[in-house]
Amino acid sequence: PELGAWVTGIRRLGKDGVNPDHARRLDAVGFAWVSSRKCGSKFMEQYRLLNERAEKENIESIMSEEKTIAWIRAQQAALKNGKLSQTRVHYMGQLFGEDWTTV
């Protein structure tokens, strides 16, 4: 988390906002001054949507919906393939309970 925050801060300053020697060094290691990531991930968009619904609705009824089941299965597959971060595993557990991997 700290490195990511640092990178974000440097990107906000921009190449002209940092010490010229630091900018040169960052260029030398291939620092990406502009992120290639889209703002907000699809995972977080879906997580937030389901989390908001869970505050108002019964989580079991949400989990019985085809779209939710498909999303959970996609996260299970990502976990099985080593592509789901521990942060996302934690989010899934918070929303669906610790046994979400067996749904």
Side-chain angles (χ1 to χ4, degrees), residues 11 32-39:
R11 286 179 173 156
W33 291 95
V34 177
S35 175
S36 61
R37 293 178 61 186
K38 293 180 182 178
C39 187

Side-chain angles (χ1 to χ4, degrees), residues 3 6 13 25 32 55-56 60 65 68 77 87 96 98 101:
L3 178 59
W6 179 84
L13 289 172
R25 288 176 168 183
E55 291 174 3
K56 301 171 190 158
E60 284 79 22
E65 297 171 2
T68 304
T87 301
F96 299 116
E98 294 305 314
T101 58

